[in-house]
Amino acid sequence: GTLLWTSPELLRNSRRTLSGTMPGDAYSFGIILQEVLLRRGPFYRADLTLTPEEIVAKVRQGNDFRPSVDSDELNGEMMQLMRQCWHEDPTQRPDFNQIRHSMKRINK
């Protein structure tokens, strides 16, 4: 279950680094942000009956399997930030300076 917060590229790396990466941390932040804002567990979906192991396998496969977030549940900017953090390409994820700037703008 603890792999639910691990980025796809680290899940695919057979020699996972214990220290992780900054883009991997941004991915994890996006998952935590989803949990906090929706007050539900990671990858929560009412229709999802997958085990944590099955969820991790889907993320590892690289098919862009991410948490489902209803547009009615969140502010549009917050959803955009989460989705950027979950980007399949680690180089396309925001760094923590960008995340902090976005959070300040969203949460004036």
Side-chain angles (χ1 to χ4, degrees):
T2 59
L3 294 178
L4 291 172
W5 296 268
T6 305
S7 65
E9 68 277 5
L10 292 178
L11 289 173
R12 289 183 206 117
N13 182 352
S14 61
R15 297 174 290 131
R16 252 181 260 133
T17 36
L18 295 176
S19 60
T21 64
M22 290 300 280
D25 289 346
Y27 175 90
S28 300
F29 175 79
I31 299 293
I32 292 167
L33 191 57
Q34 174 255 326
E35 289 181 278
V36 170
L37 294 171
L38 298 181
R39 295 183 176 135
R40 297 184 181 130
F43 288 86
Y44 171 82
R45 284 176 32 183
D47 65 334
L48 189 65
T49 59
L50 299 174
T51 66
E53 292 79 14
E54 291 169 324
I55 293 170
V56 168
K58 283 185 159 291
V59 172
R60 183 181 285 129
Q61 288 170 0
N63 58 3
D64 256 351
F65 185 79
R66 299 295 185 270
S68 175
V69 180
D70 223 354
S71 59
D72 296 339
E73 295 179 276
L74 293 177
N75 158 314
E77 288 181 280
M78 195 64 77
M79 275 191 13
Q80 182 180 3
L81 176 60
M82 279 192 306
R83 289 193 172 123
Q84 287 173 338
C85 288
W86 299 334
H87 201 287
E88 183 68 26
D89 180 353
T91 64
Q92 297 299 310
R93 294 182 196 141
D95 62 32
F96 279 93
N97 284 329
Q98 293 167 314
I99 290 170
R100 184 174 53 247
H101 182 266
S102 293
M103 293 296 288
K104 281 183 178 180
R105 188 182 67 249
I106 294 167
N107 293 312
K108 300 176 180 89

